[in-house]
């Protein structure tokens, strides 16, 4: 039996185990998927030695960048993004070979495309973590100019307090890549000026639990189109499965 799993910490919010377990059962696939919460990334070495026939891993917060030092090879897209969320594990001459990929940008791109309009030229990306890097890569590939937004401004990064009416009017796409609003802290949300949103805005939240986040609800109240991250998760999971079986 082939084994797959997810590393990160904590993992209470993950949908991956249920998704792949259901997939394996419905398609009669002889494989098992497990959650591997690692309190620190150094524990990955022990995991690789311990789990027999481990063929692939998904990677989530906070290790999408820290995992690079464990990889033997990195896909060009993941290298350019600077974050890995999928690892293919091969056995070459009795030695494990780990290659990193990023399927977040694939899932995001596929699910954003149906929402896009020709007038959407710029987008705000809330957050600066591993997920934001995949979103920035995807937006650039679609010809949309991204601007990062965080609690503290920096080089090429705006703070929430710097989001003026002109900036909000100019950026008709807003993507939340932070964990704000994720269960169980469902009342939290990025501190953007929601009153400046309107019917022309698209507000995409990578959070999928709950299905309607506070970010989405506040955006909807201003007439914006909203979407959560569930379809993106399905897309990135299927892309990971293709990589593991390629």
């Amino acid at each position: 039996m082939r084994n797959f799993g997810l590393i990160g910490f904590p993992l209470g919010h993950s949908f991956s185990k249920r998704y792949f377990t259901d997939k394996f059962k419905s398609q009669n696939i002889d494989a098992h998927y497990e959650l591997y919460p690692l309190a620190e990334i150094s524990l990955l070495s022990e995991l690789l030695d311990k789990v027999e026939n481990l063929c692939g891993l998904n990677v989530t917060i906070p290790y999408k960048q820290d995992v690079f030092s464990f990889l033997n090879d990195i896909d060009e897209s993941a290298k350019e993004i600077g974050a890995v969320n999928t690892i293919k594990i091969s056995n070459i001459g009795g030695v494990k070979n780990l290659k990193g990929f990023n399927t977040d940008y694939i899932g995001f791109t596929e699910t954003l495309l149906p929402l896009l309009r020709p007038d959407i030229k710029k987008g705000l990306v809330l957050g600066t973590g591993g997920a934001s890097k995949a979103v920035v890569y995807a937006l650039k590939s679609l010809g949309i100019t991204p601007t990062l937004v965080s609690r503290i401004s920096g080089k090429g990064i705006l703070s929430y307090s710097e989001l003026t009416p002109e900036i909000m009017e100019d950026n008709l796409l807003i993507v939340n890549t932070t964990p704000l609003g994720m269960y169980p802290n469902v009342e939290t949300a990025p501190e953007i000026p929601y009153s400046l949103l309107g019917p022309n805005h698209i507000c995409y939240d990578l959070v999928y639990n709950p299905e309607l986040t506070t970010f989405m609800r506040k955006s909807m109240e201003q007439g914006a189109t909203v979407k959560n991250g569930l379809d993106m998760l399905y897309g990135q999971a299927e892309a990971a499965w293709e990589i593991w079986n390629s």
Side-chain angles (χ1 to χ4, degrees):
M1 177 185 290
R2 292 186 297 163
N3 285 307
F4 302 90
L6 172 71
I7 61 170
F9 194 83
L11 293 180
H13 64 277
S14 173
F15 99 121
S16 300
K17 180 175 172 63
R18 183 177 72 253
Y19 180 82
F20 280 107
T21 298
D22 290 346
K23 178 183 180 67
F24 296 160
K25 184 177 180 181
S26 65
Q27 298 181 20
N28 294 314
I29 298 171
D30 186 24
H32 177 72
Y33 194 99
E34 191 56 73
L35 299 181
Y36 300 113
L38 303 181
E40 51 187 66
I41 191 62
S42 61
L43 296 172
L44 178 55
S45 296
E46 182 181 326
L47 177 70
L48 293 169
D49 291 335
K50 183 172 66 175
V51 181
E52 292 185 8
N53 206 22
L54 185 60
C55 301
L57 289 169
N58 291 126
V59 184
T60 190
I61 296 170
Y63 299 137
K64 292 185 178 185
Q65 293 159 279
D66 294 342
V67 78
F68 271 63
S69 61
F70 290 84
L71 304 175
N72 304 101
D73 193 11
I74 305 170
D75 177 72
E76 284 302 316
S77 296
K79 195 178 295 183
E80 191 168 337
I81 292 168
V84 161
N85 77 319
T86 299
I87 300 173
K88 180 177 181 178
I89 304 172
S90 307
N91 196 307
I92 301 176
V95 178
K96 285 187 174 70
N97 183 278
L98 279 64
K99 183 171 182 178
F101 299 82
N102 190 298
T103 63
D104 279 336
Y105 89 91
I106 297 173
F108 176 71
T109 302
E110 290 176 346
T111 52
L112 177 65
L113 276 172
L115 302 175
L116 290 181
R117 306 184 308 267
D119 61 320
I120 298 176
K121 305 294 186 183
K122 298 179 181 179
L124 299 178
V125 180
L126 313 181
T128 57
S132 77
K133 295 177 184 297
V135 168
V136 165
Y137 180 85
L139 294 185
K140 287 180 177 179
S141 71
L142 293 170
I144 298 172
T145 302
T147 298
L148 289 169
V149 183
S150 188
R151 288 173 295 177
I152 302 173
S153 62
K155 186 177 180 182
I157 303 173
L158 295 176
S159 68
Y160 289 105
S161 61
E162 293 175 316
L163 296 178
T164 63
E166 292 75 22
I167 291 173
M168 296 300 289
E169 185 178 355
D170 228 16
N171 290 268
L172 296 179
L173 173 65
I174 302 175
V175 185
N176 175 37
T177 73
T178 78
L180 290 170
M182 181 185 291
Y183 179 84
N185 302 311
V186 297
E187 297 304 318
T188 59
E191 296 179 1
I192 65 169
Y194 292 93
S195 62
L196 299 178
L197 297 175
N200 289 332
H201 282 94
I202 296 171
C203 296
Y204 194 130
D205 199 337
L206 300 198
V207 173
Y208 60 91
N209 182 15
E211 290 187 18
L212 180 64
T213 64
T214 299
F215 168 75
M216 293 168 64
R217 177 178 55 76
K218 287 186 171 186
S219 302
M220 285 173 62
E221 289 171 355
Q222 302 301 317
T225 298
V226 301
K227 184 170 183 60
N228 68 23
L230 191 58
D231 287 337
M232 172 184 166
L233 276 179
Y234 290 142
Q236 65 87 14
E238 284 304 313
W241 182 242
E242 288 184 19
I243 287 169
W244 292 334
N245 287 282
S246 64

